Amino acid sequence: MTIKKLITSIIPISLIPKLKSVYYFRYTLNKYFKGINYKRLTPKEIYNREIKNFDLLIYDTIFPSLISGFRYAEFNALLHAFKNVKIIVNPIDYQVLNQKPETHTTDIELLRKTHPISHKKIFAGTVKDIKNAKFFYCIFLNNIYDSLDYLEKNKINFIFTLYPGGGFDTKDEVALKKLKSVLSSKYFRGVIVTQQFTEDFIVKNYNCPKDKILNIFGCIIPQNSINVTRSRHYNNSMTLNVCFCAAKYTEIGADKGYDIFIETAKILASKGHNIHFNVVGGYDSKVISIEGYEKFFTFHGYKKYEELQSIFLEQDIIMSPNRPFILNLGSFDGFPLGAVVEAALNGVTPIVTDELKQNTVFSKDEIIIVKPDTEEIVMKIEELISKPKLLNLFSENAQKKFREIYNDSYQLDKRIDFIKKHVYDTSN
């Protein structure tokens, strides 16, 4: 039997072009080869998988990877909040997180088990499949720019989230041209920003109307650590656990301050402190040599979001000495990093940098802000070693404030309302 005859014996050939979901098609063939008498798809089943006109169409390049926890939480929420919605995923960014492309198939299967509603609404595709929708949403500058031609061709209004990263560079001419094209499109209806720095930048440089901007400090995160109970309370008889957690984008992780972390660790270890350093992300002992200090370090590699909790519950301090304009001339990170958020929710005291003055919500007794300077960080950590009660107070204060700021009721509801307002606005 030819492949064509095999396929058409399972599915009428007239329906094959409508089956956009690669995963569903594979599932059909798998059932056939297992000897299951698979029924032909009814028009209703086709409709449920490929509705003609969607209220909301989402596009992404890594969903549903659990390593990108904030995207996993945000898109699942949107897929549940809207009935007539689908997400197109072109998993080209798995390699950015050092993940094999086939990992996407595994993540899809896990999504089927944990979020069956979302699973029914996910389709493999590219920006060329952006059509037949009333409204569009994605995150990051690169994604919205890559989608722009198809949005304009098919006359689809859109909102996007302008997170730091993802192509947003305040000095790069190519990035700035992309941003100008997006914000000047006749189909642009709104933008969500997470930093005051970002809002000020697009208002000043592109005259973006403030009534089209939703400014919500922070990002959506999985809520698995939002109410966690922490039993660890540091005292002088214990080993102080200090951690670093970030993705690796440069040779020595200078943009994330990994070089500062290692230098700080070596100084503290050489002073005889009872201390241990845990590294999570794309780093190992070869990125920057730790020769002579190996016993002070544990390297965990990349971890899925839900795997971080067990590590963070045993940490006392997280260091995030990241610096802007290192990865590229105008690139910068959000404040604080997502890893810092997850750590603080688990009661870890954050020692972070904020060179762009992005902090607008945390007080000095909730988070420790330092310069990207080894000497200053060493001094701060030694102060906390000598004052365990102060360290534990920071832990409690940070955990309480981060729970308030990163709760779904604060982060998620406003985003969904903003998007719904535009999706169902009959004047659009």
Side-chain angles (χ1 to χ4, degrees):
M1 181 183 291
T2 66
I3 292 295
K4 182 177 180 180
K5 288 183 178 180
L6 169 62
I7 293 173
T8 54
S9 69
I10 304 171
I11 306 170
I13 195 166
S14 62
L15 295 182
I16 289 175
K18 298 180 180 180
L19 292 176
K20 300 294 185 183
S21 172
V22 171
Y23 303 100
Y24 186 75
F25 187 65
R26 287 177 180 170
Y27 173 72
T28 303
L29 290 180
N30 285 339
K31 278 201 165 187
Y32 178 87
F33 287 119
K34 289 180 181 178
I36 297 175
N37 184 20
Y38 189 75
K39 67 179 181 179
R40 291 177 182 270
L41 293 175
T42 67
K44 182 178 180 181
E45 288 172 315
I46 292 292
Y47 178 82
N48 287 339
R49 289 170 173 79
E50 190 66 23
I51 301 172
K52 296 276 185 189
N53 292 289
F54 289 86
D55 288 338
L56 180 64
L57 182 61
I58 305 168
Y59 173 77
D60 194 55
T61 54
I62 206 167
F63 182 79
S65 172
L66 287 168
I67 291 179
S68 185
F70 75 97
R71 283 199 261 200
Y72 188 82
E74 179 170 359
F75 292 142
N76 272 314
L78 289 172
L79 292 171
H80 282 67
F82 291 85
K83 182 179 180 181
N84 191 8
V85 57
K86 80 170 179 180
I87 181 169
I88 297 171
V89 180
N90 184 15
I92 56 177
D93 281 342
Y94 265 66
Q95 59 183 350
V96 175
L97 297 179
N98 295 329
Q99 299 292 296
K100 296 179 180 179
E102 54 265 31
T103 305
H104 188 240
T105 304
T106 305
D107 289 340
I108 290 287
E109 178 59 21
L110 180 61
L111 187 73
R112 183 184 68 81
K113 297 176 181 178
T114 58
H115 293 79
I117 293 177
S118 295
H119 180 263
K120 291 179 180 178
K121 299 176 179 181
I122 185 171
F123 292 76
T126 69
V127 290
K128 293 180 180 180
D129 298 307
I130 296 173
K131 55 188 176 182
N132 301 329
K134 181 179 179 181
F135 215 86
F136 177 85
Y137 174 74
C138 70
I139 63 175
F140 291 120
L141 176 58
N142 280 342
N143 285 344
I144 187 61
Y145 180 78
D146 291 345
S147 305
L148 190 59
D149 284 348
Y150 300 94
L151 292 169
E152 294 185 335
K153 174 184 176 181
N154 294 296
K155 300 178 180 180
I156 301 173
N157 296 329
F158 65 86
I159 287 174
F160 73 106
T161 293
L162 186 58
Y163 281 117
F168 180 30
D169 186 307
T170 60
K171 301 291 184 181
D172 181 71
E173 285 190 16
V174 174
L176 296 178
K177 287 180 180 178
K178 288 181 179 181
L179 187 56
K180 182 179 180 180
S181 297
V182 170
L183 295 177
S184 62
S185 171
K186 64 183 292 187
Y187 298 100
F188 167 65
R189 292 293 178 268
V191 58
I192 301 171
V193 301
T194 61
Q195 310 286 325
Q196 188 60 47
F197 177 86
T198 303
E199 177 176 351
D200 293 342
F201 183 83
I202 62 176
V203 170
K204 178 182 178 181
N205 294 282
Y206 300 97
N207 199 29
C208 183
K210 288 198 173 185
D211 62 358
K212 287 191 173 185
I213 301 173
L214 175 64
N215 188 340
I216 307 177
F217 181 92
C219 62
I220 299 169
I221 63 165
Q223 300 289 287
N224 46 307
S225 295
I226 205 75
N227 293 312
V228 69
T229 300
R230 180 179 175 89
S231 60
R232 181 178 175 87
H233 299 282
Y234 176 73
N235 62 62
N236 290 127
S237 66
M238 301 166 65
T239 299
L240 181 76
N241 287 331
V242 180
C243 65
F244 175 93
C245 181
K248 181 177 179 291
Y249 299 117
T250 60
E251 184 177 0
I252 62 170
D255 55 319
K256 303 298 183 184
Y258 181 66
D259 54 329
I260 296 175
F261 170 78
I262 291 296
E263 185 179 357
T264 300
K266 288 179 178 179
I267 293 173
L268 289 168
S270 66
K271 288 188 172 186
H273 292 296
N274 184 14
I275 195 167
H276 193 80
F277 301 94
N278 289 266
V279 180
V280 181
Y283 306 85
D284 57 29
S285 60
K286 297 178 182 178
V287 173
I288 297 177
S289 175
I290 57 167
E291 185 177 358
Y293 297 92
E294 291 88 348
K295 68 178 182 179
F296 293 97
F297 287 87
T298 298
F299 294 90
H300 298 269
Y302 278 105
K303 292 293 181 181
K304 293 182 178 180
Y305 207 86
E306 76 271 16
E307 296 174 320
L308 293 174
Q309 184 181 100
S310 61
I311 297 173
F312 287 150
L313 283 174
E314 297 302 319
Q315 305 305 306
D316 301 298
I317 295 170
I318 182 168
M319 277 181 57
S320 181
N322 49 302
R323 294 168 284 199
F325 315 138
I326 298 293
L327 183 61
N328 292 300
L329 184 62
S331 64
F332 66 101
D333 286 312
F335 176 89
L337 296 185
V340 174
V341 175
E342 180 66 14
L345 289 174
N346 284 280
V348 186
T349 296
I351 296 181
V352 301
T353 52
D354 183 20
E355 294 298 277
L356 298 179
K357 310 299 181 186
Q358 297 181 88
N359 177 37
T360 57
V361 299
F362 298 107
S363 66
K364 62 182 181 180
D365 61 348
E366 294 167 339
I367 194 168
I368 300 172
I369 297 176
V370 295
K371 291 288 184 182
D373 176 77
T374 301
E375 185 176 338
E376 181 180 352
I377 297 171
V378 167
M379 182 181 68
K380 289 290 184 183
I381 292 178
E382 287 188 318
E383 179 185 6
L384 295 174
I385 291 174
S386 67
K387 300 176 181 178
K389 289 184 178 180
L390 179 61
L391 175 58
N392 292 321
L393 180 61
F394 267 113
S395 167
E396 293 170 6
N397 290 346
Q399 187 178 48
K400 181 179 178 181
K401 188 56 174 280
F402 274 76
R403 284 180 176 180
E404 174 189 331
I405 297 300
Y406 292 93
N407 193 291
D408 272 354
S409 61
Y410 183 93
Q411 290 287 337
L412 190 56
D413 293 353
K414 295 177 183 178
R415 284 175 166 85
I416 291 177
D417 288 345
F418 186 67
I419 296 172
K420 279 186 174 181
K421 173 187 173 184
H422 288 84
V423 169
Y424 300 120
D425 183 355
T426 56
S427 64
N428 278 329

